[in-house]
């Protein structure tokens, strides 16, 4: 899997030389879509 996808709310974080990808939970994505409406790419 490649790096973070900002369009999906993902972020990269380097800790002790290791790159980690942080991803929002499904419930967080659903809540964001409900409050902001669906976004077109």
């Amino acid at each position: 899997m490649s790096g973070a996808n900002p369009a999906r709310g993902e972020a990269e974080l380097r800790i002790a030389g290791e790159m980690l990808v942080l991803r929002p939970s499904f419930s967080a994505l659903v809540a964001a879509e409900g409050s902001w409406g669906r976004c077109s790419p």
Side-chain angles (χ1 to χ4, degrees):
M1 193 163 242
S2 62
N5 181 345
R8 289 191 280 186
E10 299 174 352
E12 290 182 334
L13 180 65
R14 184 179 300 275
I15 298 178
E18 183 176 349
M19 187 62 75
L20 304 173
V21 177
L22 305 176
R23 294 183 173 92
S25 67
F26 180 74
S27 59
L29 292 173
V30 170
E33 185 175 311
S35 66
W36 298 328
R38 189 175 178 127
C39 297
S40 299

